[in-house]
């Protein structure tokens, strides 16, 4: 589904002319297409001929409206912290909708998760398992768990977002997993519900998924043969999205077929935890050109968004298409570096990029920022977080207010002895 396109040389998101949003909202800001996200959920869900449950990985975009929109579609939520549990409950999630993954869960977070009666906790270590048993005992309940397996599979993605190699901090080593299940089955306040795996993010081939899922399939057989009851398999997230027209990504149908071919006859509930693919291409970061500066080597377009607002290019060297909001100045072959105002050379959105229709004051749109955009923003250089806007048809609403500098300052104190 394309929800972002030009009409009469004006960039639109759904039926709304972006220029219209900028008339009454200060740049930079994020805006998302609600219909795109709804459509992604429907397309992914209907790609399966078997019953599956989607748990949206809210770390990709944790705005309350985005969570609520996906809950309304029937999605569950995959969380990674106490804060994310609190957020998802604030958006209307019930405990049964929530799965808690994530390494390094504190006792406070675990207690909150157990008290919130969440559906399942994915276990990352033996000591975590014991702590959950102790906490559940003191609360007089039995907690559902799954053990997260590290299958030692290379997801062939960016090194910073690969999670399923033996050298990564995530999951339980394959050889040790069976004894973890034996330990878990002896714990009175633990109920073994399933098994989980997540090998990384922005994965653009089905091969690593096939490898990892086959390992998990074999392990389920083995565990069941050893008397363990495995009701569900949580296959994690990770399917990539196209950040440019050239990128070739497996379709939802191909992904679903792979899962079905492995688990279709296993009499097991299948869960998936997609984050990026739900939201990445729903979102734009709208920013204004502050200045254009030519040196002997380069021409820089300096915009009012910075790496504090959107850090993916800086952090992962990731590619994001950039478009002028008003495409009315004809084509040009000029090459630019598109950079932010922050005092770091790493503060850029694109290098050596052809751009049309830009001059000082122009608005430009950075594409595919709906996932891991706003959630990874910071206040570096005392730049407060920017607004988020949700568009549906020809209407929009502000779903997060722009933070004011005075609110940042309010959180701090001058030490009494100063
Ligand atoms: N489940 C678990 C346990 C995860 O750790 C993640 C992502 C997901 C699901 C969702 O994966 P997805 O479907 O979104 O690929 N900040 C990075 C991505 C970090 C992903 C972390 N874990 C980026 O901007 O590329």
């Amino acid at each position: 589904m394309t929800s972002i396109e030009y009409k009469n040389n004006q960039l639109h998101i759904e039926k709304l002319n972006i220029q219209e949003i900028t008339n009454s909202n200060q740049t930079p800001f994020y805006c998302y297409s609600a219909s795109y996200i709804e459509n992604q959920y429907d397309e992914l869900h209907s790609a399966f001929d078997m019953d599956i449950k989607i748990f949206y990985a809210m770390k990709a975009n944790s705005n309350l409206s985005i969570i609520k929109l996906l809950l309304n579609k029937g999605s569950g939520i995959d969380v990674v912290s106490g804060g994310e549990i609190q957020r998802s409950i604030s958006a209307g999630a019930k405990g049964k909708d929530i799965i808690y993954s994530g390494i390094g869960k504190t006792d406070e977070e675990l207690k909150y998760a157990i008290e919130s009666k969440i559906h399942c906790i994915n276990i990352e270590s033996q000591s975590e398992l014991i702590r959950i048993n102790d906490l559940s005992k003191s609360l007089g309940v039995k907690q559902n768990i799954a053990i997260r397996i590290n299958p030692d599979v290379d997801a062939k993605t960016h090194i910073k977002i690969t999670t399923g190699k033996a050298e990564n901090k995530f999951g339980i080593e394959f050889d040790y997993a069976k004894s973890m299940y034996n330990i878990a089955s002896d714990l009175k306040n633990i109920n073994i519900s399933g098994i989980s795996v997540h090998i990384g993010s922005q994965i653009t081939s089905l091969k690593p998924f096939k490898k990892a899922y086959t390992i998990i399939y074999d392990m389920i057989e083995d565990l069941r043969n050893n008397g363990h009851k495995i009701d569900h398999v949580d296959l994690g997230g990770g399917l990539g999205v196209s950040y440019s027209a050239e990128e070739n990504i497996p379709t939802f149908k191909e992904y679903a077929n792979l899962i079905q071919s492995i688990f279709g006859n296993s009499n097991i509930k299948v869960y998936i935890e997609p984050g990026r693919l739900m939201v990445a291409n729903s979102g734009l970061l709208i920013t204004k050109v502050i200045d254009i500066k030519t040196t002997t080597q380069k021409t820089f377009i300096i915009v009012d968004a910075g790496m504090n607002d959107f850090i993916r290019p800086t952090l992962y060297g990731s590619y994001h298409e950039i478009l002028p909001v008003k495409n009315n100045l004809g084509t040009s072959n000029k090459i630019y570096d598109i950079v932010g105002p922050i005092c770091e050379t790493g503060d850029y959105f694109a290098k050596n990029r052809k751009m049309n229709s830009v001059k000082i004051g122009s608005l430009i749109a950075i594409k595919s920022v709906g996932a891991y955009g706003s959630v990874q923003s910071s206040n570096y250089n005392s730049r407060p977080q920017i607004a988020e806007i949700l568009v549906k048809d020809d209407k929009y609403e502000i779903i997060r207010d722009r933070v004011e500098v005075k609110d940042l300052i309010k959180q701090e104190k001058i030490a009494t002895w100063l």
Side-chain angles (χ1 to χ4, degrees):
M1 177 190 176
T2 2
S3 52
I4 293 159
E5 58 191 1
Y6 285 107
K7 288 174 198 155
N8 301 323
N9 281 329
Q10 292 276 353
L11 195 63
H12 282 63
I13 178 163
E14 301 208 11
K15 293 181 186 142
L16 188 68
N17 185 342
I18 286 162
Q19 192 80 46
E20 231 173 85
I21 314 178
T22 59
N23 290 342
S24 38
N25 292 281
Q26 198 181 331
T27 58
F29 58 81
Y30 280 99
C31 64
Y32 312 118
S33 156
S35 305
Y36 179 90
I37 300 169
E38 291 169 326
N39 194 64
Q40 288 298 93
Y41 181 89
D42 289 339
E43 271 192 20
L44 180 61
H45 200 260
S46 62
F48 288 84
D49 297 321
M50 65 193 278
D51 207 21
I52 60 139
K53 173 92 181 162
I54 297 173
F55 287 85
Y56 165 59
M58 65 173 277
K59 64 173 80 64
N61 186 323
S62 58
N63 187 287
L64 296 184
S65 286
I66 306 295
I67 300 171
K68 178 71 176 156
L69 183 152
L70 283 160
L71 284 170
N72 287 353
K73 296 298 291 179
S75 184
I77 307 294
D78 168 53
V79 304
V80 288
S81 68
E84 286 198 349
I85 298 176
Q86 202 173 336
R87 239 174 208 282
S88 56
I89 290 173
S90 301
K94 302 273 180 293
K96 68 173 175 47
D97 301 321
I98 302 172
I99 277 185
Y100 186 3
S101 311
I103 192 154
K105 309 176 187 84
T106 65
D107 279 357
E108 289 73 27
E109 289 176 310
L110 287 171
K111 184 164 178 273
Y112 179 43
I114 297 164
E115 283 172 340
S116 305
K117 300 188 169 55
I118 71 162
H119 175 53
C120 188
I121 302 178
N122 291 340
I123 303 293
E124 291 273 357
S125 75
Q126 185 178 327
S127 54
E128 183 179 284
L129 176 66
I130 306 295
R131 284 193 291 133
I132 294 171
N133 185 61
D134 292 348
L135 287 163
S136 302
K137 192 173 171 192
S138 67
L139 294 167
V141 295
K142 218 170 169 173
Q143 177 61 48
N144 276 351
I145 60 106
I147 291 178
R148 177 172 175 180
I149 309 298
N150 181 325
D152 193 19
V153 168
D154 187 349
K156 300 266 191 292
T157 182
H158 193 284
I159 190 166
K160 287 183 185 160
I161 53 175
T162 191
T163 54
K165 289 274 290 162
E167 73 216 42
N168 302 140
K169 65 180 174 179
F170 300 97
I172 304 294
E173 276 181 295
F174 182 84
D175 290 341
Y176 182 54
K178 228 160 95 180
S179 50
M180 278 278 286
Y181 274 95
N182 291 334
I183 294 167
S185 62
D186 287 339
L187 297 172
K188 299 265 176 311
N189 294 79
I190 291 291
N191 179 48
I192 298 173
S193 170
I195 187 164
S196 87
V197 67
H198 171 78
I199 57 169
S201 194
Q202 186 55 14
I203 300 169
T204 54
S205 151
L206 288 182
K207 275 191 201 142
F209 286 120
K210 188 173 179 186
K211 247 190 189 170
Y213 294 172
T214 306
I215 290 170
I216 297 299
Y217 172 87
D218 291 341
M219 180 160 272
I220 294 168
E221 292 282 288
D222 198 16
L223 290 168
R224 282 177 164 174
N225 289 338
N226 279 283
H228 294 296
K229 199 166 66 67
I230 307 291
D231 286 336
H232 82 254
V233 58
D234 176 348
L235 298 172
L239 184 63
V241 303
S242 309
Y243 283 100
S244 72
E246 292 89 61
E247 218 157 3
N248 214 354
I249 304 288
T251 63
F252 289 172
K253 196 72 204 161
E254 288 165 338
Y255 178 62
N257 286 345
L258 172 73
I259 291 176
Q260 273 160 207
S261 71
I262 299 173
F263 298 101
N265 296 318
S266 291
N267 190 23
I268 196 161
K269 289 183 212 141
V270 174
Y271 302 163
I272 51 173
E273 300 171 352
R276 187 189 310 267
L277 65 81
M278 287 290 176
V279 287
N281 281 318
S282 74
L284 295 174
L285 172 55
I286 307 298
T287 177
K288 192 185 267 172
V289 177
I290 301 174
D291 208 349
I292 298 181
K293 173 167 146 176
T294 302
T295 67
T296 48
Q297 307 220 355
K298 293 256 181 189
T299 301
F300 296 98
I301 296 176
I302 303 163
V303 297
D304 63 1
M307 66 188 256
N308 71 300
D309 302 308
F310 185 60
I311 202 168
R312 294 199 75 254
T314 309
L315 203 52
Y316 315 109
S318 60
Y319 176 92
H320 288 263
E321 273 184 57
I322 302 186
L323 301 171
V325 168
K326 229 184 204 173
N327 196 21
N328 63 345
L329 297 181
T331 49
S332 102
N333 283 324
K334 266 190 128 173
I335 305 283
Y336 302 95
D337 277 10
I338 298 156
V339 302
I342 287 187
C343 303
E344 295 218 19
T345 303
D347 179 29
Y348 67 89
F349 298 115
K351 287 193 168 167
N352 303 319
R353 194 71 69 82
K354 223 159 98 177
M355 274 291 289
N356 296 328
S357 298
V358 274
K359 51 183 188 178
I360 292 175
S362 296
L363 295 165
I364 63 175
I366 305 175
K367 280 185 82 181
S368 313
V369 299
Y372 307 111
S374 165
V375 286
Q376 296 198 120
S377 60
S378 75
N379 299 125
Y380 188 36
N381 279 200
S382 285
R383 293 168 51 87
Q385 273 149 315
I386 62 179
E388 291 179 286
I389 286 171
L390 185 64
V391 177
K392 177 77 179 169
D393 297 327
D394 59 353
K395 305 245 169 347
Y396 74 86
E397 275 185 54
I398 296 171
I399 57 170
R400 187 183 68 190
D401 287 328
R402 188 189 176 78
V403 176
E404 301 290 334
V405 178
K406 65 175 169 21
D407 296 323
L408 297 184
I409 295 172
K410 229 191 320 190
Q411 296 167 354
E412 294 169 32
K413 288 180 185 63
I414 295 176
T416 49
W417 55 272
L418 285 171

